[in-house]
């Protein structure tokens, strides 16, 4: 599994990179805050919303702690997605930066 740390992601965003970020948390969780520019696709909706997830460029998956985004990573990899990264530590770690 390819990963990216919250620190690495924050640095890349600060440098102005335009990144594809998918937040797989539930609506009540994202209501408390999301990474700027992230797209909200709850984990259980991913199978029905594959067309919204880029397969031709790096896509970073985010959740609360890294577990659900890891499950999304495994599912998407099985569907043929190859340019994925899971944000280790999730939003719990992101919020500590």
């Amino acid at each position: 599994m390819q990963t990216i740390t919250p620190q690495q992601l924050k640095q890349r965003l600060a440098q102005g990179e335009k990144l594809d970020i998918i937040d797989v948390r539930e609506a009540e969780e994202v209501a408390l805050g999301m990474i700027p520019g992230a797209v909200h696709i709850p984990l259980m909706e991913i199978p029905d919303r594959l067309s919204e997830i880029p397969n031709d460029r790096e896509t970073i998956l985010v959740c609360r702690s890294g577990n659900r985004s890891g499950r999304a990573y495994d599912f998407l990899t099985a569907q043929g997605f190859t340019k994925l990264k899971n944000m280790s530590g999730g939003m719990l770690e992101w919020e500590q930066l």
Side-chain angles (χ1 to χ4, degrees), residues 1 4 6 9 21-27 29-30 33-35 38-44 46 60-73 85-95:
M1 178 179 296
I4 186 169
L9 178 55
I21 304 167
I22 306 289
D23 191 323
V24 302
R25 296 176 298 156
E26 296 300 317
E29 294 174 286
V30 299
M34 284 176 63
I35 295 172
V39 174
H40 179 221
I41 303 178
L43 180 62
M44 293 302 146
I46 285 180
I60 299 164
L61 301 167
V62 175
C63 71
R64 180 176 166 269
S65 67
N67 287 333
R68 280 176 285 173
S69 53
R71 294 198 342 242
Y73 181 102
K85 286 193 177 164
N86 184 26
M87 188 175 84
S88 60
M91 292 302 288
L92 290 174
E93 193 171 313
W94 174 271
E95 291 163 356

Side-chain angles (χ1 to χ4, degrees), residues 53-64:
I53 303 169
N55 195 8
D56 59 343
R57 58 190 184 270
E58 180 185 43
T59 302
I60 299 164
L61 301 167
V62 175
C63 71
R64 180 176 166 269

Side-chain angles (χ1 to χ4, degrees), residues 9-25:
L9 178 55
K10 206 164 250 193
Q11 182 177 26
R12 289 176 64 183
L13 290 170
Q15 292 169 348
E17 276 193 67
K18 299 275 188 258
L19 300 170
D20 291 295
I21 304 167
I22 306 289
D23 191 323
V24 302
R25 296 176 298 156

